[in-house]
Amino acid sequence: MATTEETLKGIVNKVLRKEVDFSDGATFKDFAADSLDIVQILVGVEEAFDIEIKDEDLQEIKTMGAFVAYIDRKVAEKGSKVG
Amino acid sequence: MSLKGKVALVTGGSRGIGRAITLRLARDGADVIINYFRKRETAEATAKEAAALGVTAHTIKANVGDPEKVGAMFKEVEEKFGRLDIFINNAASGVARSAMELDVKGWDWTMDINAKAFLMCAQRAAPLMKNGGKMVTISSLGSRMVLPVYTSVGVSKAALEALTRYLAVELAPKGICVNGVSGGAVESDALRMYTKDMPARNWNVSTPAGRMVRGEDIANLVAFLCNDESNMIRGQVIVIDGGMSLTQVMPGGA
């Protein structure tokens, strides 16, 4: 099963139509992602992980590392709600 | 006018003009299906308001620019309601750039959501309108007037309006009326976004009617077009702008 990082990388690469360097400190800005790219990435992540990313949380996910941690936390929260 | 017992789907129906349309159709008695893009809580809040009016309200998340998601949305509509009487093509998006700055990605995104989506949705909605039905598209004055950085949206709305005419003729034998509503000077987040770099302007004095157009004004016209009293109006795009476009050039326009 793909890790969160692998799935996220797949989504980012698909939206940006290129292989991106996905080191921990990398930001959307490093990938030259514009606001439309970011919306498409957010939609892709929401669908892949069945979570909802609130606009007010965007400050928290400026780096890819932080985004992975955010996704894992959201997925865990969802799991605990279901359980 | 009553729409009691009708089933209506409003794309982008959770906020702004879409929300006003959803609540108006619910007030007239229609069961409402609220399509939304990302904000579930907003959609559920609108659904709750609609349900409080005594109708069934259901939410469906889908990016209408994605034909697969459109297919899934209509499958859910068919499974839950078995039919559709009213389809409101309201969801819209856009990239605020001039023609020289517009890239393929921004063009495709805007055209997919604002124009292609109507074709994809109409193809799936029409077979569910077994006893005839109404389709209403929401356009804007940017389809025929030039507004700053409105290129992609304006062109997509022109395509939407042309498609409205083609579908009005093609679907007429099935008892389906297709019309459009074109809003101008509408109090909305979209207007605020597109005019944020312009000099401050008192929009209320920009219309002969003396005030800006509200979501409820658009919803009133949509409700009329969803009613049988409007049956002889076909393939028209009706402007609702308080008369603004009759008297002046839009700010920053050509």
Side-chain angles (χ1 to χ4, degrees):
Chain A
M1 194 178 148
T3 64
T4 301
E5 184 173 326
E6 286 165 350
T7 304
L8 176 58
K9 188 175 178 180
I11 293 165
V12 172
N13 287 343
K14 189 178 167 197
V15 169
L16 298 180
R17 295 171 188 157
K18 63 182 179 187
E19 282 286 318
V20 295
D21 175 16
F22 210 75
S23 53
D24 197 43
T27 67
F28 287 124
K29 208 173 170 186
D30 294 331
F31 304 148
D34 61 22
S35 58
L36 178 52
D37 294 327
I38 292 170
V39 168
Q40 290 178 317
I41 290 167
L42 294 177
V43 171
V45 167
E46 287 181 335
E47 284 173 4
F49 295 95
D50 191 23
I51 59 173
E52 186 175 335
I53 302 167
K54 295 188 187 311
D55 287 349
E56 53 265 35
D57 294 346
L58 295 179
Q59 289 297 323
E60 194 187 319
I61 51 177
K62 283 189 171 162
T63 69
M64 291 301 118
F67 202 176
V68 169
Y70 174 86
I71 293 167
D72 285 341
R73 198 183 80 227
K74 282 282 187 178
V75 171
E77 283 172 7
K78 186 183 64 172
S80 65
K81 273 181 197 163
V82 173
Chain B
M1 292 189 290
S2 173
L3 298 173
K4 196 165 171 51
K6 304 284 186 189
V7 178
L9 166 61
V10 184
T11 65
S14 68
R15 58 198 180 104
I17 293 169
R19 175 178 171 276
I21 294 169
T22 297
L23 294 177
R24 171 58 200 254
L25 297 182
R27 204 177 83 208
D28 288 357
D31 291 334
V32 287
I33 304 157
I34 300 161
N35 155 259
Y36 69 100
F37 179 37
R38 288 190 54 228
K39 293 183 169 67
R40 182 174 51 82
E41 283 179 10
T42 309
E44 285 178 355
T46 302
K48 201 173 163 186
E49 274 187 78
L53 296 165
V55 300
T56 299
H58 182 69
T59 62
I60 301 179
K61 178 176 179 168
N63 172 8
V64 294
D66 181 339
E68 264 185 47
K69 301 290 186 303
V70 167
M73 175 169 74
F74 278 93
K75 192 163 176 270
E76 189 170 332
V77 169
E78 186 168 19
E79 284 168 3
K80 295 255 179 203
F81 294 88
R83 68 174 216 282
L84 191 66
D85 303 297
I86 294 166
F87 173 67
I88 311 297
N89 191 84
N90 167 71
S93 186
V95 177
R97 290 192 184 172
S98 67
M100 290 301 114
E101 292 170 335
L102 189 58
D103 60 11
V104 170
K105 188 180 63 185
W107 169 272
D108 285 347
W109 171 264
T110 311
M111 292 298 283
D112 283 355
I113 292 177
N114 296 2
K116 188 173 81 182
F118 181 43
L119 180 65
M120 298 295 111
C121 288
Q123 287 175 349
R124 287 161 178 81
L128 295 179
M129 294 180 168
K130 290 159 190 162
N131 301 314
K134 314 285 183 192
M135 295 187 190
V136 183
T137 59
I138 307 302
S139 190
S140 75
L141 289 178
S143 66
R144 54 195 180 93
M145 299 177 80
V146 175
L147 316 177
V149 301
Y150 201 71
T151 317
S152 66
V153 182
V155 174
S156 68
K157 294 296 192 184
L160 177 66
E161 291 181 10
L163 186 55
T164 299
R165 290 186 280 273
Y166 275 87
L167 285 172
V169 173
E170 189 172 329
L171 295 177
K174 295 181 186 300
I176 298 171
C177 300
V178 186
N179 286 294
V181 170
S182 177
V186 183
E187 281 177 350
S188 66
D189 289 341
L191 181 80
R192 280 184 280 280
M193 186 182 88
Y194 279 101
T195 57
K196 68 181 179 352
D197 296 329
M198 292 180 191
R201 168 182 181 143
N202 183 352
W203 285 87
N204 286 330
V205 299
S206 298
T207 72
R211 68 165 172 83
M212 291 184 73
V213 176
R214 299 176 188 130
E216 289 73 17
D217 297 314
I218 305 269
N220 289 341
L221 178 52
V222 169
F224 173 64
L225 292 172
C226 290
N227 201 281
D228 285 344
E229 289 178 2
S230 65
N231 271 359
M232 292 313 287
I233 302 174
R234 303 288 176 117
Q236 300 303 306
V237 178
I238 302 174
V239 172
I240 177 164
D241 68 349
M244 184 183 69
S245 60
L246 299 175
T247 60
Q248 60 195 295
V249 174
M250 293 285 280

